[in-house]
């Protein structure tokens, strides 16, 4: 049995491309490339399904944190159709990272995201 470990890194790269896409057309395109049509995203603050819901969530997060970008912290770890990784939301101005978390993703046979289960490790008061 051959294990393609790059599938996890590639999926996470597409995930961050979507979260960091700022133009509406680019955001919609990157969500469609990263997630399966029936894909979902769930964390303590959100539970959305489908490309429209995921795109709206990302756009709302970007509006709440203008001038910030998501970045991977550490390495991507995966097996079977599941991967986990940690991330930070970083200010492009001063490098501060007020939000951080860890996500677990499940991939379909085309290596697109079926589900994201997000955990928030650091969130500023009032967010």
């Amino acid at each position: 049995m051959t294990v393609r470990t790059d599938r996890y890194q590639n999926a996470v790269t597409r995930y961050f491309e979507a979260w960091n896409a700022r133009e509406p057309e680019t955001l919609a395109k990157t969500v469609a490339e990263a997630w399966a049509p029936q894909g979902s995203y769930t964390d303590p603050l959100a539970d959305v399904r489908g490309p429209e819901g995921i795109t709206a969530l990302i756009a709302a997060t970007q509006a709440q944190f203008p001038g910030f970008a998501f970045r991977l912290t550490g390495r991507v770890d995966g097996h079977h159709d599941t991967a986990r990784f940690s991330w930070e939301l970083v200010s492009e101005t001063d490098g501060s990272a007020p939000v951080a978390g860890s996500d677990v993703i499940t991939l379909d046979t085309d290596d697109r995201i079926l589900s994201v289960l997000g955990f928030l490790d650091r969130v500023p008061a009032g967010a």
Side-chain angles (χ1 to χ4, degrees):
M1 179 171 102
T2 302
V3 177
R4 288 186 18 241
T5 56
D6 64 328
R7 74 185 290 227
Y8 312 116
Q9 183 64 51
N10 291 341
V12 171
T13 296
R14 289 191 309 273
Y15 175 85
F16 283 114
E17 287 172 354
W19 277 97
N20 290 323
R22 305 231 172 138
E23 297 299 320
E25 300 82 21
T26 304
L27 175 55
K29 180 180 183 239
T30 57
V31 166
E33 291 170 351
W35 270 269
Q38 70 276 26
S40 66
Y41 178 94
T42 304
D43 71 18
L45 304 174
D47 186 13
V48 296
R49 305 222 173 316
E52 294 84 13
I54 295 164
T55 299
L57 172 65
I58 293 172
T61 302
Q62 291 173 349
Q64 184 177 4
F65 294 96
F68 283 76
F70 285 89
R71 74 172 177 207
L72 180 68
T73 60
R75 65 183 187 85
V76 177
D77 184 29
H79 64 81
H80 294 85
D81 293 327
T82 305
R84 66 180 176 170
F85 56 94
S86 296
W87 51 266
E88 291 180 319
L89 183 60
V90 180
S91 169
E92 295 171 337
T93 304
D94 65 13
S96 64
V99 183
S102 299
D103 291 348
V104 176
I105 62 173
T106 304
L107 304 177
D108 68 8
T109 56
D110 294 322
D111 295 342
R112 290 168 66 194
I113 299 169
L114 284 172
S115 68
V116 176
L117 297 176
F119 297 85
L120 300 174
D121 302 325
R122 183 173 61 239
V123 179

